[in-house]
Amino acid sequence: TIFYIVPDFLACYPASSHYLKNTPTQLAFFERNIVDSHYYTRTRASTMSTTEAQDPVKSETNKVESVIRSRKERPTGSTHFGDADWDEEQVDEIGDATWGEVAKACCVHDAKEWGKIFVGACGALFFLYFFLFALELLGNSAKVLGGCRAGGLLSDETNPVAGLVIGELATALIQSSSTTTSIIVSLVGAEAISVNTGIYLVMGANIGTSVTNTIVSMGQMADGAQLERAFAGATVHDIFNLLSVAILFPLEIISHYLYHLTKAMLPDNVKDGEAWSGPIKKIVSPLSDKILKSNKDVIKDIATGKVESCDTYYPVLCLDGIEDYKHCASKCDKDAGEEVGVDCGRVGLITCDKTTGCPAFFQNGANLHDDSISGGVCLVLSLFLLIVCLMGLVNVLQRGLAGMSTRIIYKATNVNGLIAIAIGTGITILVQSSSITTSVLTPF
């Protein structure tokens, strides 16, 4: 006797027992039409003994279920996410699905399935939030550890090749091309470096920013197949930036076309404007600033030559020993004759925030060595949290897609290349960080 456990079929046809009692031809038709459903489960053929017939409970216990886990076992030959041979399917072998099938797989569920989807979505958002938090903490830690060195690197007027390498190293040290670029803009504005040198530094910064998503891809070393795909996705960002620089760098050296183009675009009057921060930063920063907040002014001051070294900012001094923004991080008004230690405090590479106050790793009286240790501890914590959240996010996504036909997944995600470029551009503008965009895409 062959038993079929097919909830969808039984729900649609109350008199399904009639079909199960009919001829083998009808049974074959029945199997052929529902075999591609991920609800389908087939038990092995077995002959019921007299004892089993007398003891239904024992009979049910002795049934051995074998769930289909390979496209070779399906008459339709379709692959489902989670199959043992899922990695073997090539793109040209994936069948075409209709948007109706995509909509059904996405939106047609019972109450129990909607509950699982809700729990899975909450889990994914939880891991995604702390994944972004770990990236923010990683960037702050890198700025604290490498800020002084990065500022010193950016302060020199160099030749084009050296400028390219310095921009790359500075960005790799502080893990933020946005910070490096903003410092370069400040240096050009202060006439500390020329516009030409600034262009080469920015090119190098775009190469250095691809380190972050490569670090993220290393978090999937436990699974060789996942690591291969994640590293390939992360490398796309690297190759794109490298090829862009390989083409534009020699053209700029020969013709200086970027210099003349930016000069032509410059308006007659430039006014100071308010800095804009993306929504992701507004969501993640309040929590990360309670742990560690880097002082970008130190990097800028060293790069522009306002101070010779980081030692100028130490030891950290808070007025009356009170650790808050007003007593520690508020700047002195030199025109009004205010002095450090009397009218205002002094902070080093770790500073306080106006809204959240001083972070957990801020210490009154700390020296450069103390702040460097704090930055190193936060760097290790951020990497650990990054790997944990990455593993959790991947696990939740895999559970959510388990049993889904690759035809459906491919149809839902296969968008036009130009549309994909527009989406990637919009997301990066919104979050104000290419590192966040590429790092989030890597586990997907």
Side-chain angles (χ1 to χ4, degrees):
T1 305
I2 300 179
F3 296 90
Y4 293 91
I5 304 174
V6 190
D8 274 5
F9 181 82
L10 297 179
C12 297
Y13 299 97
S16 56
S17 58
H18 168 73
Y19 290 88
L20 295 179
K21 294 176 182 178
N22 278 333
T23 64
T25 304
Q26 290 174 320
L27 286 174
F29 174 80
F30 162 78
E31 180 179 347
R32 186 169 59 253
N33 279 274
I34 66 167
V35 69
D36 199 32
S37 170
H38 67 279
Y39 295 109
Y40 171 72
T41 307
R42 180 178 58 192
T43 60
R44 293 180 180 177
S46 61
T47 304
M48 291 182 62
S49 64
T50 306
T51 306
E52 291 174 333
Q54 293 175 353
D55 190 355
V57 176
K58 184 177 180 181
S59 175
E60 289 295 328
T61 305
N62 290 337
K63 292 177 185 177
V64 182
E65 296 184 357
S66 59
V67 181
I68 293 178
R69 292 298 184 186
S70 174
R71 59 174 175 165
K72 298 176 182 178
E73 299 178 14
R74 296 188 181 91
T76 57
S78 65
T79 303
H80 290 185
F81 191 89
D83 284 352
D85 54 355
W86 182 73
D87 293 329
E88 298 177 6
E89 187 177 37
Q90 303 299 320
V91 176
D92 54 0
E93 296 177 351
I94 300 176
D96 188 25
T98 63
W99 283 111
E101 291 177 306
V102 175
K104 183 178 180 181
C106 174
C107 305
V108 180
H109 304 283
D110 56 26
K112 184 179 180 180
E113 290 172 343
W114 277 118
K116 291 181 179 179
I117 291 173
F118 177 76
V119 173
C122 291
L125 290 175
F126 173 82
F127 286 115
L128 181 60
Y129 176 82
F130 282 99
F131 179 80
L132 295 173
F133 164 75
L135 284 177
E136 181 74 13
L137 185 60
L138 177 66
N140 286 335
S141 304
K143 292 181 184 71
V144 172
L145 281 174
C148 296
R149 298 181 183 87
L153 286 173
L154 295 171
S155 62
D156 299 327
E157 185 79 24
T158 57
N159 62 70
V161 177
L164 186 71
V165 176
I166 288 172
E168 180 181 351
L169 291 176
T171 306
L173 281 172
I174 62 179
Q175 286 292 295
S176 175
S177 61
S178 301
T179 300
T180 305
T181 305
S182 64
I183 293 173
I184 294 170
V185 171
S186 300
L187 292 174
V188 174
E191 297 183 351
I193 59 175
S194 64
V195 176
N196 285 324
T197 301
I199 291 173
Y200 303 127
L201 290 171
V202 170
M203 287 185 179
N206 279 286
I207 297 176
T209 191
S210 55
V211 174
T212 307
N213 54 338
T214 304
I215 295 175
V216 171
S217 68
M218 293 294 104
Q220 304 196 36
M221 288 189 294
D223 190 310
Q226 289 185 11
L227 175 62
E228 183 179 356
R229 291 191 298 269
F231 192 77
T235 307
V236 171
H237 189 213
D238 307 357
I239 297 300
F240 177 80
N241 288 342
L242 286 169
L243 289 177
S244 298
V245 172
I247 295 172
L248 299 179
F249 182 70
L251 290 177
E252 175 63 20
I253 293 178
I254 296 171
S255 63
H256 298 290
Y257 80 99
L258 282 175
Y259 170 77
H260 296 297
L261 182 62
T262 53
K263 187 176 181 180
M265 294 170 61
L266 185 67
D268 295 332
N269 297 318
V270 181
K271 298 180 180 180
D272 293 334
E274 184 179 356
W276 183 82
S277 58
I280 299 297
K281 199 171 187 65
K282 290 181 179 179
I283 295 172
V284 176
S285 292
L287 180 59
S288 65
D289 289 346
K290 289 182 179 294
I291 307 298
L292 186 74
K293 182 176 177 62
S294 61
N295 187 3
K296 299 178 183 178
D297 291 337
V298 174
I299 307 174
K300 291 181 180 179
D301 290 346
I302 294 176
T304 54
K306 289 183 180 180
V307 296
E308 293 183 359
S309 67
C310 283
D311 294 332
T312 307
Y313 296 92
Y314 291 96
V316 174
L317 178 62
C318 294
L319 298 178
D320 302 325
I322 302 174
E323 295 184 1
D324 60 13
Y325 180 82
K326 181 179 179 181
H327 292 83
C328 299
S330 59
K331 295 181 179 180
C332 291
D333 187 356
K334 294 183 180 180
D335 296 334
E338 294 182 350
E339 296 181 4
V340 176
V342 179
D343 304 296
C344 59
R346 178 175 59 210
V347 292
L349 288 166
I350 302 176
T351 186
C352 301
D353 185 74
K354 290 182 180 179
T355 305
T356 59
C358 295
F361 282 87
F362 179 85
Q363 181 182 358
N364 183 26
N367 54 35
L368 179 59
H369 180 68
D370 294 332
D371 279 359
S372 297
I373 293 176
S374 298
V377 171
C378 288
L379 182 67
V380 174
L381 290 175
S382 63
L383 288 173
F384 174 76
L385 185 60
L386 195 70
I387 294 174
V388 170
C389 291
L390 180 63
M391 294 172 62
L393 183 61
V394 170
N395 186 269
V396 170
L397 292 174
Q398 287 181 341
R399 288 178 178 271
L401 293 173
M404 183 72 69
S405 174
T406 53
R407 297 186 306 109
I408 306 296
I409 299 174
Y410 189 76
K411 183 70 174 181
T413 58
N414 186 27
V415 297
N416 182 271
L418 294 176
I419 297 176
I421 291 175
I423 293 173
T425 303
I427 292 175
T428 305
I429 292 174
L430 190 65
V431 302
Q432 286 290 287
S433 175
S434 60
S435 298
I436 290 178
T437 305
T438 55
S439 297
V440 171
L441 286 174
T442 297
F444 285 94

